[in-house]
Amino acid sequence: AGLLLGAGSWDGLGLCRVGAFHVTAAFFGLEFMAELSRLRDANGSEPLRVLEVGSLDVNGALRAYAPAHWQYVGVDLSEGRGVDIVLKDPYRYPVEDGYFDAVVSTSQLEHAQFF
């Protein structure tokens, strides 16, 4: 058991928070997305393209911290909330090399065979 963040929202930098999530994953997810947002806004670039590996939303997900105007794609081995692409092979992603600006992942390594 760990600390969970309960349902609610956070409006700083246009970020949104919903659901329950382990507190350390939530903290670092929020900080990471906020920093990416600050960098993008400072450069006046187009919306960020983010790939999340292990995106199935069981009790909260990183997607909740990303600004809504970003292109956010989640991949996982099972379909469900937060999964845009179901992978047939966990070591091959059906996306073009270099397409995404950032790749994020949390709370999934304990499920990886080689971890």
Side-chain angles (χ1 to χ4, degrees):
L3 295 174
L4 295 176
L5 294 180
S9 64
W10 182 80
D11 198 24
L13 297 173
L15 303 175
C16 180
R17 169 76 180 99
V18 294
F21 207 31
H22 190 276
V23 70
T24 55
F27 174 79
F28 289 112
L30 178 60
E31 290 295 310
F32 181 75
M33 295 297 181
E35 186 61 24
L36 285 177
S37 184
R38 279 190 288 274
L39 291 173
R40 273 300 199 201
D41 291 345
N43 293 330
S45 303
E46 293 185 20
L48 197 69
R49 295 181 295 210
V50 177
L51 177 67
E52 181 180 358
V53 177
S55 64
L56 182 63
D57 182 347
V58 176
N59 64 353
L62 290 175
R63 186 184 299 243
Y65 299 102
H69 66 282
W70 287 3
Q71 181 184 353
Y72 198 100
V73 176
V75 298
D76 210 311
L77 298 176
S78 301
E79 66 179 53
R81 185 176 55 208
V83 180
D84 301 300
I85 299 172
V86 177
L87 300 174
K88 295 178 182 177
D89 179 343
Y91 304 105
R92 296 187 184 275
Y93 304 146
V95 297
E96 186 178 322
D97 286 349
Y99 179 79
F100 290 96
D101 300 301
V103 177
V104 297
S105 186
T106 186
S107 304
Q108 63 84 23
L109 287 178
E110 65 270 24
H111 304 288
Q113 179 180 2
F114 297 111
F115 179 65

